Amino acid sequence: VQLVESGGGLMQPGGSLRLSCAASGLPLSSSTVGWFRQAQGKEREFVAAIRWGDNNVRYSTSVRGRFSITRDKAKNTVYLQMNGLKPEDTAVYYCAATQRNLIFGSLGDSMNYENWGQGTQVTVSS
């Protein structure tokens, strides 16, 4: 199983980026996929997740209303559309996936995901 993130980069505050998480060896359409991020010197934190089966989505309070997680079954890819970027969104963003059946309340727990990508850097700065 391999997850590969892409789409990170440098963006001005207020701008938008779309991150991609492409998978090989794992059908993301039947997986719960989460996005997490880790800023320098800080703990890894939950950003968003889309659950396998019902496609329910969950967002952290810090990104709700600005970020959107979607999946493209044909491309076996999950996206994180990030709008209204703020300097505090600066971090390495990781996608993670599991085929376990998670309850909604556990989507934000990184310990529930066994497959991880290598991360992509997002820097928001003027």
Side-chain angles (χ1 to χ4, degrees):
V1 175
Q2 187 177 24
L3 302 177
V4 179
E5 303 95 335
S6 61
L10 174 64
M11 179 55 63
Q12 292 185 341
S16 298
L17 284 172
R18 188 178 76 160
L19 304 185
S20 300
C21 173
S24 58
L26 180 70
L28 293 186
S29 58
S30 59
S31 303
T32 291
V33 180
W35 284 95
F36 295 80
R37 66 187 182 186
Q38 187 167 20
Q40 193 169 5
K42 295 189 177 181
E43 304 253 329
R44 186 173 297 185
E45 65 172 356
F46 169 72
V47 176
I50 183 166
R51 190 167 65 173
W52 169 78
D54 56 13
N55 280 330
N56 269 352
V57 297
R58 181 177 178 183
Y59 299 97
S60 68
T61 55
S62 62
V63 307
R64 188 176 297 124
R66 299 188 296 123
F67 290 12
S68 176
I69 185 171
T70 57
R71 67 166 105 231
D72 185 325
K73 181 179 179 180
K75 295 183 178 180
N76 204 31
T77 299
V78 170
Y79 302 99
L80 182 69
Q81 178 67 43
M82 307 187 296
N83 300 326
L85 284 164
K86 304 176 181 180
E88 52 263 43
D89 295 319
T90 295
V92 177
Y93 284 70
Y94 300 89
C95 71
T98 180
Q99 291 193 301
R100 296 165 58 193
N101 190 15
L102 302 181
I103 61 173
F104 189 77
S106 67
L107 294 179
D109 186 347
S110 63
M111 296 295 291
N112 289 324
Y113 299 83
E114 61 271 17
N115 300 294
W116 288 82
Q118 82 291 346
T120 186
Q121 176 70 47
V122 172
T123 302
V124 184
S125 174
S126 55

